Amino acid sequence: MIHFQYIEYLLALLAIPLIYFLYHLVVKWKKEITKKIGDPLLVKELTKEYSGKKFRVKFILFAAAFALCAFAVAGLVKPDGKQKIQRKGTDIVIALDVSKSMLATDIKPDRLERAKQIISKIIDNSPNDRIGLVIFAGRAYLQMPLTLDHAAARMYLASAKPGDVPTQGTVIADALKMSMDAFNPEDKTFKSVLLISDGEDHEPGAVKMAKELLKSGIVVNTIGIGSPLGAPIMDEETGQYKLNAKGETVITKLNEESLREIAKAGNGMYQLFSNSDEIAKKLQDKFSNIEEDSIISDASYGSFIQYFQYFLGAAILLLLIEFFTSEKKKSMIINAVVFGFLIFTTGNSYGQSAKDKIVKGNKAYTENRFDEAESDYRAALKKSENDATANYNLGNTLYRKDNTEEAAKAYDDVIAHTDNNTFKQQAFYNKGVTMQKAKKLPESIIAYKNALMLNPDDEDARQNLQRAMQEQKQQDKKNQENKQDKKDNKQDNQDQKKKQDREKDKEPKPQPSKLTQKQAEEKLKSLFENEKALQDKLNKIKGVAPQNPEKDW
């Protein structure tokens, strides 16, 4: 359906009555000046080349051009059937427990990894469903809003870990509330929340919240991960099992009863983890039995046919005609019309050529042919150097190719050459993601802050900013510790050297001999005689048998 993207700009049309009022004042002023001159014959002679009709035409042309500019900035668009994704399916928000208890190894390799395997199977079995992801521990965060981009869902799923939630614990009620907020109440689709947890809830209210979701038409299904016998939790920071306040090893156990109650309150089903394929199949069978058909539409930048250029081109043409239209009876109006028409048609064909390349690149991008997509977007930029859509899509393509440096430059070009704040905010957000992936955290933090300045309600940007700042804090702490270690090692080396120098000073130094040569010869003779006496004594006791030595192993 054709519609205006920024309908608020149409308020500029209210200025046209003001323009007409000013025109009326000018006409009235000219008439008053004419009367002041007095002599009608003289006035007629002075104004014989003036045409009141042409002055009126100039006003009409200017007012029409102003109105067309207002329509241009309002952005008339029509969804492009080639780019729009429309499928039948359901909306599923997966609430994944990432608390430290999910690191228990009673299910190998650990509970969290098994939960991720289940979610991957569910995504594989739900090609027509929109998937959203909420992670929770001591708090709940919307990791990914509902989308048909399952590749992005797998990317967010793979990166989910306990460190993503600074506050530890398990608050299932908050996770269910966040999951409910992720749905659009106006969508006429079947909605379901899939809670995957070990059920160790540290706060009350989960069953009550499940009932609230059911009242809103949202079914809650649960999957239990773990074993009733439980297992200790390995603390990643210390490399030892986690201890409680009494110094006892913490044993985390699966709370099946709690998960069953939540599923019952949400009119869903509870499953105990046994096999990923089996669990995913049961859920698929449940969803396939839903009689209601749900239509889901998903679109992205570049998925609309833009018509603003036609309004803008017509406005420029009218302004050119107005400029070349004289108030005199003879004018260059015909030349102005021809000149404006040539400019309009030439510019339109030029822009159309760039647009064709963008559409071609979009098709290659959706088919994961990123090299071809990059080539098409760069070709579009050669025809229209500052095209924001081409630069934005080029940045997305380079990101998928792990070329983070060039992707960031493409997003910078979008930011520099567009006045569309929504487009600019999304470019800042994507640049933040790109810089975070490249481990350039300061640049990532700045980009997220700029995105939030343009759209303070962007929860994804807010959460990513918190994670980036947390990573930066950890990195700074690690650098400070390394710096302190180097300083301590240097100090230890200096202390060791000083100690060695002191010990060296304590060693006895040889003194020059004070004996005369004669005294030295007598001393030497005495030593020889003592040696001879010692040898004689040893020869006498040679025949005596030695005693057995003590054990030394």
Side-chain angles (χ1 to χ4, degrees):
M1 181 182 294
I2 296 178
H3 64 281
F4 287 102
Q5 281 186 305
Y6 312 105
I7 194 171
E8 62 271 15
Y9 289 125
L10 293 179
L11 293 174
L13 295 174
L14 298 176
I16 292 180
L18 176 62
I19 296 174
Y20 175 77
F21 176 71
L22 294 175
Y23 163 76
H24 179 72
L25 289 179
V26 172
V27 172
K28 184 179 179 181
W29 172 76
K30 285 186 176 184
K31 289 181 179 180
E32 291 176 353
I33 293 295
T34 301
K35 291 180 180 179
K36 288 181 180 180
I37 293 176
D39 190 345
L41 295 175
L42 179 60
V43 171
K44 185 176 181 180
E45 182 64 24
L46 292 173
T47 61
K48 63 180 180 179
E49 296 296 329
Y50 171 76
S51 173
K53 291 182 178 179
K54 285 190 175 181
F55 181 71
R56 190 179 305 112
V57 168
K58 285 174 67 70
F59 161 74
I60 294 172
L61 290 172
F62 177 80
F66 181 86
L68 288 171
C69 288
F71 287 123
V73 296
L76 186 67
V77 296
K78 182 179 77 172
D80 187 352
K82 296 179 180 179
Q83 298 296 318
K84 185 177 178 181
I85 301 171
Q86 190 175 64
R87 306 176 185 180
K88 291 183 178 180
T90 59
D91 287 350
I92 305 172
V93 174
I94 300 172
L96 175 61
D97 186 351
V98 294
S99 60
K100 289 185 177 180
S101 63
M102 292 293 285
L103 298 177
T105 57
D106 48 356
I107 296 179
K108 302 297 183 181
D110 59 49
R111 297 176 182 177
L112 184 58
E113 286 303 315
R114 283 297 187 184
K116 290 182 180 181
Q117 291 176 13
I118 295 172
I119 297 173
S120 294
K121 291 291 182 183
I122 293 170
I123 293 174
D124 291 339
N125 294 342
S126 309
N128 297 323
D129 298 334
R130 288 197 300 188
I131 304 292
L133 181 62
V134 169
I135 61 172
F136 69 95
R139 290 186 62 185
Y141 295 93
L142 180 62
Q143 185 81 342
M144 183 189 70
L146 285 166
T147 179
L148 283 167
D149 188 354
H150 290 180
R154 289 188 178 89
M155 181 181 70
Y156 280 107
L157 175 64
S159 63
K161 58 185 182 299
D164 292 342
V165 182
T167 306
Q168 281 299 306
T170 306
V171 285
I172 294 178
D174 287 357
L176 294 176
K177 177 66 167 62
M178 181 64 69
S179 301
M180 183 172 67
D181 293 340
F183 293 105
N184 184 354
E186 297 180 0
D187 288 343
K188 304 301 181 182
T189 57
F190 177 78
K191 303 177 180 66
S192 175
V193 170
L194 179 60
L195 174 67
I196 304 179
S197 174
D198 53 25
E200 284 196 322
D201 195 357
H202 297 169
E203 298 290 338
V207 174
K208 181 180 179 181
M209 183 54 63
K211 292 179 180 178
E212 290 293 326
L213 266 71
L214 185 59
K215 289 180 182 178
S216 301
I218 303 170
V219 175
V220 180
N221 298 290
T222 61
I223 297 175
I225 299 288
S227 65
L229 296 177
I233 305 170
M234 180 60 69
D235 193 330
E236 292 180 331
E237 297 180 357
T238 63
Q240 298 177 350
Y241 288 128
K242 189 169 184 60
L243 304 177
N244 59 19
K246 297 180 180 180
E248 301 169 341
T249 301
V250 175
I251 302 297
T252 173
K253 299 179 181 180
L254 171 64
N255 189 347
E256 285 192 274
E257 182 180 353
S258 174
L259 294 173
R260 280 198 181 94
E261 289 179 0
I262 293 171
K264 183 178 179 181
N267 196 28
M269 66 176 179
Y270 166 74
Q271 295 185 76
L272 174 64
F273 171 79
S274 56
N275 180 278
S276 299
D277 293 324
E278 182 181 344
I279 289 176
K281 187 176 184 306
K282 286 183 179 180
L283 285 171
Q284 184 183 14
D285 293 341
K286 181 178 177 62
F287 295 148
S288 63
N289 291 331
I290 300 167
E291 297 180 357
E292 180 182 0
D293 290 332
S294 304
I295 302 298
I296 299 173
S297 298
D298 197 16
S300 59
Y301 285 104
S303 62
F304 296 97
I305 298 175
Q306 303 280 348
Y307 293 103
F308 76 91
Q309 65 269 26
Y310 300 109
F311 292 103
L312 189 60
I316 293 173
L317 177 61
L318 293 180
L319 289 174
L320 286 172
I321 294 173
E322 191 274 337
F323 178 77
F324 285 104
T325 299
S326 172
E327 294 182 23
K328 295 182 179 181
K329 292 180 179 180
K330 295 181 181 180
S331 68
M332 300 172 62
I333 187 169
I334 301 299
N335 293 336
V337 171
V338 174
F339 178 71
F341 177 77
L342 289 174
I343 290 178
F344 174 70
T345 54
T346 302
N348 185 47
S349 62
Y350 179 81
Q352 186 67 27
S353 177
K355 180 188 173 184
D356 290 341
K357 288 293 183 182
I358 293 174
V359 172
K360 186 178 178 183
N362 290 348
K363 182 178 180 181
Y365 181 89
T366 57
E367 295 174 358
N368 294 332
R369 294 183 282 112
F370 300 122
D371 290 335
E372 294 180 30
E374 179 184 356
S375 177
D376 290 329
Y377 293 140
R378 292 193 184 279
L381 288 171
K382 286 182 180 180
K383 297 178 181 295
S384 181
E385 183 178 358
N386 297 329
D387 190 290
T389 301
N391 273 314
Y392 181 87
N393 292 352
L394 175 61
N396 292 346
T397 303
L398 293 170
Y399 176 84
R400 295 296 294 271
K401 293 177 67 176
D402 292 328
N403 190 347
T404 54
E405 183 176 352
E406 290 296 324
K409 290 181 180 179
Y411 294 133
D412 285 337
D413 288 337
V414 175
I415 295 165
H417 300 113
T418 183
D419 295 326
N420 186 323
N421 284 341
T422 301
F423 215 172
K424 186 179 292 187
Q425 186 269 341
Q426 193 64 33
F428 271 123
Y429 175 84
N430 282 10
K431 181 182 178 183
V433 174
T434 302
M435 292 292 95
Q436 193 170 5
K437 182 178 181 180
K439 301 302 181 182
K440 296 182 179 180
L441 297 176
E443 296 179 36
S444 174
I445 292 171
I446 292 173
Y448 286 137
K449 287 182 177 179
N450 286 328
L452 286 170
M453 287 177 65
L454 293 171
N455 182 12
D457 296 329
D458 190 339
E459 190 62 28
D460 290 338
R462 191 180 309 281
Q463 293 177 13
N464 286 357
L465 173 61
Q466 291 177 352
R467 280 193 288 271
M469 294 177 69
Q470 184 69 18
E471 290 180 21
Q472 181 66 43
K473 184 178 179 181
Q474 294 174 355
Q475 190 179 88
D476 292 342
K477 182 180 179 181
K478 185 176 180 181
N479 292 338
Q480 186 65 29
E481 289 175 352
N482 292 338
K483 185 177 179 181
Q484 186 62 37
D485 289 342
K486 290 181 180 179
K487 184 177 179 181
D488 293 342
N489 290 337
K490 183 177 179 181
Q491 184 64 39
D492 290 343
N493 292 335
Q494 291 177 350
D495 294 342
Q496 185 67 22
K497 185 176 179 182
K498 290 180 180 179
K499 183 177 179 181
Q500 291 175 353
D501 291 341
R502 287 195 299 270
E503 291 178 352
K504 188 174 180 181
D505 292 339
K506 292 179 181 179
E507 293 179 357
K509 297 180 180 179
Q511 297 293 330
S513 176
K514 297 181 180 180
L515 297 176
T516 63
Q517 184 176 357
K518 184 177 181 180
Q519 290 173 333
E521 289 176 352
E522 290 178 354
K523 287 281 185 182
L524 185 60
K525 182 178 179 181
S526 176
L527 287 174
F528 280 137
E529 290 177 353
N530 291 336
E531 176 67 19
K532 184 178 179 183
L534 180 61
Q535 290 294 334
D536 292 340
K537 186 176 181 180
L538 290 174
N539 289 332
K540 289 180 181 179
I541 63 174
K542 233 179 198 182
V544 180
Q547 297 180 355
N548 292 328
E550 296 181 0
K551 296 180 180 179
D552 57 3
W553 64 83

